[in-house]
């Protein structure tokens, strides 16, 4: 009867484990068949050598990818400084840089899609838009800036490694900062693809932004929300977007359809039209608007010059969440007041659906609107307009 003493535990590498315990196994089993433990130990050690060689090779490939990105990014910076960001040499340099970044994204991005598709065409289009427009509160400029800023954050990560590339973990998915920036860049590409690949949604978004900027100038409550990015503004924005759509469905349908595609149909002439359920909501709005116009004389004194009576009343309710606005319910009769409250409840249901049906799409849309509303130039223009009036 053979007794094996359990060795005292201490941290060992796998090769040291084989050297330590393989020999002991051979001593125990040597009386039965001395060839088996010897072959087993040799095979195990050979496996360890091969495994370590493969790991070293993978790490070298990962570091080579990082060095390629660093070198290509330096070249792109030089080309943009000499020829401009939209020149042909700069485009070619960015394409080479993005092609390498795609491999890095596929290996490192474990939280996002991680696909080898980083939208170089969208990036080039974003550079063209931002160079053509310097108006920071324009929706086109903001969409382009979302992509370019996210791309710059990815490149900035590798610029920090220019003189010390050994600081990055060869297992790229272990670099949390890199993964965060890649996820952010891919998210910006998905948002930009909705607006830069097809003109109608971007045109509709631009009209919404201009209308919201006008509202911010004359409505102090909305101005205060936008100024501090109050949490309530994220409840108010979808209500206002729906009101703008209800007033001009043909001008804003393309924007809503990008977020709620199941509530719209596309005709033979490529015109986006609301479905039956949304059409009922439209008819409810038209009926209420026609009845509110009967009180135009009583309400005209409180209405801003850029807004109709019915629009101003509904906007006030949307911003205040259905509470009384400037004493309007005291003027309206009971039946119309109840109809107004029913409409606001329906508006709230559609607003919640707009936010929750596709949160990624709505978050991207709302981010663009808030950036346009809170740009420095917009704030300066609004303050100047308020002082002038």
């Amino acid at each position: 009867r053979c007794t094996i003493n359990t060795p005292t535990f201490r941290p060992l590498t796998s090769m040291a484990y084989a050297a330590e315990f393989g020999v002991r196994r051979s001593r125990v089993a040597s009386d039965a068949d001395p060839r088996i433990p010897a072959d087993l130990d040799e095979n195990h050690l050979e496996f360890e050598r091969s495994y370590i060689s493969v790991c070293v090779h993978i790490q070298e490939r990962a570091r080579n990818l990082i060095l390629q990105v660093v070198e290509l990014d330096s070249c792109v910076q030089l080309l943009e400084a000499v020829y401009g960001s939209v020149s042909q040499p700069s485009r070619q340099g960015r394409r080479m840089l993005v092609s390498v970044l795609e491999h890095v994204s596929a290996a490192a991005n474990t939280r996002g899609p991680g696909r080898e598709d980083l939208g170089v065409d969208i990036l080039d289009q974003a550079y063209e838009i931002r160079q053509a427009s310097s108006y920071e509160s324009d929706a086109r400029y903001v969409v382009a800036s979302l992509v370019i800023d996210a791309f710059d954050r990815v490149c900035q990560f590798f610029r920090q490694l220019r003189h010390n590339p050994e600081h990055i973990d060869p297992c790229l998915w272990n670099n949390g900062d890199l993964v965060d920036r890649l996820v952010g860049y891919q998210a910006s590409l998905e948002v930009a693809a909705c607006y830069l690949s097809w003109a109608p949604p971007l045109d509709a978004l631009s009209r919404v932004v201009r209308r919201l900027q006008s509202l911010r100038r004359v409505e102090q409550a909305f101005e205060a929300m936008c100024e501090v990015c109050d949490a309530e503004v994220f409840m108010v924005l979808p209500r206002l977007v729906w009101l703008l759509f209800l007033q001009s469905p043909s001008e804003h349908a393309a924007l809503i359809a990008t977020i709620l595609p199941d509530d719209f149909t596309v005709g033979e002439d490529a015109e986006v039209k609301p479905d039956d359920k949304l059409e009922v909501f439209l008819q409810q709005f038209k009926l209420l608007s026609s009845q509110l116009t009967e009180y135009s004389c009583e309400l005209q004194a409180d209405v801003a010059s850029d807004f109709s009576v019915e629009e101003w009343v509904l906007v006030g309710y949307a911003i205040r969440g259905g509470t009384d606005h400037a004493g309007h319910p005291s003027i309206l009769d009971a039946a119309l007041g109840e109809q107004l409250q029913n409409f606001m409840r329906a508006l709230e249901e559609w607003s919640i659906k707009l936010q929750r049906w596709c949160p990624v799409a709505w978050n991207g849309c709302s981010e663009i609107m808030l950036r346009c509303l809170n740009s420095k130039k917009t704030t300066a223009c609004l303050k100047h307009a308020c002082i002038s009036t």
Side-chain angles (χ1 to χ4, degrees), residues 208-341:
V208 169
V209 166
R210 289 193 294 268
R211 200 61 175 161
L212 292 178
Q213 289 169 348
S214 299
L215 177 61
R216 179 178 177 179
R217 181 172 61 87
V218 297
E219 178 57 65
Q220 295 182 356
F222 187 57
E223 159 73 15
M225 292 179 189
C226 296
E227 187 70 27
V228 298
C229 281
D230 190 276
E232 193 174 359
V233 76
F234 296 99
M235 299 296 295
V236 171
L237 273 181
R239 299 173 192 158
L240 296 177
V241 171
W242 272 119
L243 288 177
L244 293 174
F245 164 77
L246 294 172
Q247 292 159 12
S248 302
S250 60
E251 294 183 355
H252 303 96
L255 174 62
I256 306 294
T258 60
I259 305 173
L260 298 176
D262 293 343
D263 293 303
F264 292 85
T265 58
V266 180
E268 296 179 355
D269 54 352
E271 183 181 0
V272 180
K273 299 179 180 179
D275 64 359
D276 296 339
K277 188 175 180 180
L278 189 54
E279 188 65 35
V280 173
F281 186 43
L282 272 168
Q283 295 303 322
Q284 184 181 4
F285 169 78
K286 291 179 181 179
L287 178 61
L288 179 62
S289 297
S290 63
Q291 294 179 349
L292 285 174
T293 53
E294 299 177 2
Y295 294 83
S296 57
C297 296
E298 292 86 348
L299 301 174
Q300 192 65 46
D302 298 327
V303 177
S305 59
D306 295 338
F307 296 83
S308 63
V309 171
E310 61 275 12
E311 182 182 4
W312 186 246
V313 172
L314 294 175
V315 163
Y317 269 81
I319 292 176
R320 291 163 177 79
T323 58
D324 291 355
H325 177 55
H328 294 155
S330 61
I331 300 175
L332 305 179
D333 57 49
L336 184 55
E338 183 179 357
Q339 186 176 351
L340 177 59
Q341 293 295 334

Side-chain angles (χ1 to χ4, degrees), residues 55-56 58-67 104 107-109 157-158 161 164-179 182:
C55 290
V56 171
I58 293 175
Q59 291 178 359
E60 287 298 325
R61 289 183 59 185
R63 286 199 173 93
N64 287 337
L65 275 177
I66 301 304
L67 293 176
V104 175
N109 189 357
F157 175 85
F158 294 99
L161 302 173
N164 47 5
E166 67 279 357
H167 288 180
I168 192 170
D169 193 326
C171 298
L172 298 179
W173 57 85
N174 289 333
N175 300 278
D177 191 15
L178 173 61
V179 175
L182 288 172

Side-chain angles (χ1 to χ4, degrees), residues 88-149:
Q88 190 62 28
S90 298
R91 286 173 178 266
Q92 294 177 352
R94 276 197 301 270
R95 287 183 178 273
M96 296 176 62
L97 173 59
V98 170
S99 65
V100 180
L101 281 175
E102 288 173 347
H103 295 292
V104 175
S105 176
N109 189 357
T110 57
R111 296 204 307 269
R115 60 181 184 272
E116 295 187 8
D117 178 15
L118 294 183
V120 66
D121 294 331
I122 296 177
L123 183 62
D124 288 340
Q125 190 176 357
Y127 274 101
E128 292 177 358
I129 292 175
R130 197 162 79 165
Q131 184 176 16
S133 174
S134 59
Y135 191 37
E136 296 180 4
S137 60
D138 180 64
R140 291 175 175 82
Y141 183 93
V142 171
V143 172
S145 297
L146 280 176
V147 179
I148 296 174
D149 293 346

